[in-house]
Amino acid sequence: ALLEIGGATLLFMKPRSMEGEFGGLVKAGTVDSFPPGSVVEYPDGRFFLVRSTEGGFLAVYRRCTHLGCSVNWEADQNRFYCPCHASTFDLHGDVENPPAPRALDAFPVKIDEGQVLVDTSHLQSRDSFTPDQLAFA
């Protein structure tokens, strides 16, 4: 019985990231499927993929940098909004309205043979947005 419990415990604790989910590589789609200025949510990957008006890609983590609540994209306001304490962030995840202390965290984006790939296993903390954070095709 102890062996069964130990085995079940080990299986439970084993990381279970699957392709396309948080903690792994997410194939978001083809470059052409994202118009400039668009924001698409990937719930399984826990991020929003932003295609800036300049054409670059940025994957922002959906957790607020204040207390970790999930942010929402408000398309009509062109901003990310945290419902817990009303922090707002612009298209690139920069803080517009505190109490959030810094920009939304981001994940590395890579363009490979026309596919947009997001690596959710490497969270990048950032103070603010800079243009070099964008990935271009």
Side-chain angles (χ1 to χ4, degrees), residues 92-104:
H92 297 110
D94 262 339
V95 177
E96 289 183 329
N97 184 48
R102 57 185 178 78
L104 294 172

Side-chain angles (χ1 to χ4, degrees), residues 50-54 58 60 73 80 89-94 103-104 126 128-130 133-134:
V50 175
R51 179 130 195 222
S52 70
T53 54
E54 298 87 11
L58 178 69
V60 295
W73 172 248
F80 294 100
F89 306 84
D90 69 10
L91 179 70
H92 297 110
D94 262 339
L104 294 172
R126 57 198 190 122
S128 62
F129 169 75
T130 57
Q133 295 168 357
L134 294 173

